[in-house]
Amino acid sequence: MPKTKIAGIGMYVPDHVVSNQDLIKYMDTTDAWIQERTGIKERRYAHRTEETTTTMGVEAAKIAIERAGITPQDIDFIIFATLSPDYYFPGCGVLVQRAMKMKEIGALDVRNQCSGFVYALSTGDQFIRSGMYKNILVIGSEKHSFGLDFSTRGRNISVIFGDGAGAVVLQPTENDNSGILSTHLHSDGESAEILAMYNPGTHANHWLPQKLADFNEGEMGDMFMSHAMIDKAQNFPFMDGQSVFKKAVVKIPEVIMEALNQNGYKPSDLKILIPHQANLRISQYIQQTLALRDDQVYNNIQRYGNTTAASIPLALCEAWQEGKIKEGDLVCLASFGSGFTWASALLKW
Ligand code: UT7
């Protein structure tokens, strides 16, 4: 059975740099608070109308495809991970198929937030190993700036997130010394509401006409066709940051060890760990727990903030571009986020 290798990798971030100082114009925060608590100095915001989650994903994909030495017409499956799709439906995968004039191939959207890219990579890995596809495009892209609460009410979230995209092309390899060794996916829905964007969602029937609502035994409450949803900020992401932090620093080292143990490695064998860029303090905590050296953990959250499904491919791409990942190196990707979901992938580059 073939293994799966990353044959090409690309990234895209918008030109528009937003510093911590820029955010102070909109909310009660400080550069010191943001840097101390998160490590973030600046992030990028996409152009309000001309750039979308899909267009950024396409830019990253063009580079990944070119680096893989193929053309968009060679791609035989698309997997697109995002929590900020252009439309509620259809997903971004089909928009990539259209924009890149690809063949009438399958296009799958993955909705696993911060773990989205690793889930997508794992899905692609299974299709390659089974022999079903030969060239899979996996994209992680987010346009968070479209929907953050930039008032003081939303400051614990809005200072963290940024926009950007990363993409990889997956291909089969018969080389025993390269490729994805294993992937590990987990979830625990018990805390689903701790990090979530509640609305618009079908759970509350916001848009049901009154007559049908009455028929529905008046379940609408104060939400019916009112601004309550917006007044309660339910159209913005909600996060109980401390609870997420506490769980992340346990689950990420755990899922990294799961990958290392399954393949007979120890943390010291890692050339580089690419953790989800949620908070520099989380990355530092993981580094300490696993006794990793500074050069074994890659972070770029300082410049891009938390880009959710894009954060791992953005960091992986930059680490590779900086020459920090070479052929045969042991690389681990690890994530944790909304759901909760968490995941890892161990690979030989
Ligand atoms: O990628 C998805 C997964 N997400 C994560 O992994 C995020 C995990 N959590 C975190 O990174 C951190 O919890 C945060 C960075 C979100 C928040 O840091 P914290 O140290 O947990 O702060 P906190 O939420 O406990 O808030 C402490 C104080 C509060 O004020 P009081 O009640 O002590 O007076 C907040 O209102 O800091 C205040 N605060 C802010 N102050 C200035 C919250 N946000 C801000 C802000 N600027 N942006």
Side-chain angles (χ1 to χ4, degrees):
M1 201 197 289
K3 290 217 298 296
T4 307
K5 69 170 182 186
I6 293 180
I9 183 161
M11 61 177 272
Y12 175 82
V13 287
D15 291 337
H16 183 41
V17 177
V18 177
S19 69
N20 294 342
Q21 208 60 36
D22 291 329
L23 295 177
I24 292 167
K25 295 173 203 149
Y26 304 98
M27 64 190 79
D28 181 12
T29 188
T30 61
D31 177 47
W33 191 97
I34 301 171
Q35 289 211 44
E36 272 164 30
R37 307 272 178 146
T38 71
I40 299 166
K41 293 184 164 77
E42 59 189 37
R43 72 288 291 142
R44 305 293 180 100
Y45 283 174
H47 189 279
R48 192 180 276 260
T49 53
E50 283 167 23
E51 288 180 311
T52 68
T53 299
T54 299
T55 68
M56 291 190 289
V58 165
E59 291 308 314
K62 282 181 192 163
I63 299 167
I65 289 171
E66 198 192 323
R67 284 176 174 163
I70 58 171
T71 71
Q73 288 66 44
D74 296 317
I75 296 293
D76 42 26
F77 195 56
I78 304 163
I79 311 179
F80 200 118
T82 187
L83 64 68
S84 50
D86 296 25
Y87 304 126
Y88 193 83
F89 69 82
C92 292
V94 299
L95 304 181
V96 170
Q97 184 276 338
R98 178 175 69 185
M100 300 192 83
K101 300 185 172 45
M102 289 167 166
K103 291 179 296 193
E104 292 176 347
I105 54 174
L108 173 72
D109 273 49
V110 167
R111 297 194 43 176
N112 287 82
Q113 298 67 247
C114 305
S115 302
F117 183 79
V118 183
Y119 266 71
L121 191 75
S122 177
T123 306
D125 182 30
Q126 312 316 313
F127 280 121
I128 296 277
R129 281 174 192 257
S130 73
M132 187 157 171
Y133 296 123
K134 299 269 179 275
N135 290 296
I136 299 182
L137 175 63
V138 179
I139 298 175
S141 180
E142 303 287 0
K143 183 176 174 179
H144 282 301
S145 60
F146 88 102
L148 296 172
D149 181 355
F150 287 103
S151 71
T152 296
R153 180 180 62 180
R155 64 184 178 174
N156 68 319
I157 292 188
S158 46
V159 300
I160 296 177
F161 290 106
D163 301 342
V168 295
V169 171
L170 303 181
Q171 288 178 348
T173 175
E174 300 294 343
N175 180 349
D176 276 349
N177 205 30
S178 81
I180 297 174
L181 303 178
S182 64
T183 57
H184 307 266
L185 312 180
H186 294 281
S187 74
D188 176 3
E190 203 51 50
S191 305
E193 284 78 17
I194 279 183
L195 175 48
M197 190 166 119
Y198 304 128
N199 285 305
T202 57
H203 66 102
N205 286 345
H206 295 305
W207 314 116
L208 203 63
Q210 182 68 60
K211 276 191 181 152
L212 291 173
D214 292 343
F215 175 71
N216 214 15
E217 297 175 354
E219 288 283 315
M220 313 306 292
D222 65 345
M223 288 296 197
F224 175 71
M225 286 303 218
S226 75
H227 281 276
M229 171 186 108
I230 289 164
D231 295 342
K232 291 181 180 176
Q234 292 190 341
N235 54 319
F236 294 123
F238 168 81
M239 177 168 71
D240 170 355
Q242 293 219 359
S243 300
V244 179
F245 194 108
K246 283 178 193 152
K247 199 81 174 180
V249 295
V250 173
K251 289 298 174 189
I252 297 178
E254 207 175 276
V255 80
I256 293 169
M257 286 311 300
E258 185 182 342
L260 291 171
N261 288 338
Q262 174 155 330
N263 295 283
Y265 289 110
K266 346 181 253 316
S268 56
D269 295 324
L270 279 176
K271 177 69 196 318
I272 206 154
L273 167 69
I274 311 281
H276 166 50
Q277 304 292 296
N279 182 327
L280 191 60
R281 287 167 58 215
I282 295 179
S283 292
Q284 289 164 341
Y285 207 98
I286 299 164
Q287 178 178 341
Q288 212 178 352
T289 306
L290 299 177
L292 296 170
R293 300 182 308 271
D294 285 353
D295 63 285
Q296 286 179 291
V297 184
Y298 191 81
N299 291 300
N300 61 6
I301 188 171
Q302 300 90 332
R303 287 174 285 122
Y304 302 129
N306 178 344
T307 56
T308 312
S311 96
I312 287 183
L314 269 179
L316 184 64
C317 188
E318 282 206 328
W320 176 76
Q321 288 175 174
E322 290 168 17
K324 293 184 169 138
I325 303 175
K326 299 256 179 356
E327 209 177 317
D329 284 346
L330 190 65
V331 180
C332 187
L333 318 178
S335 63
F336 180 88
S338 165
F340 294 139
T341 60
W342 59 103
S344 65
L346 192 66
L347 49 122
K348 278 269 183 108
W349 195 260

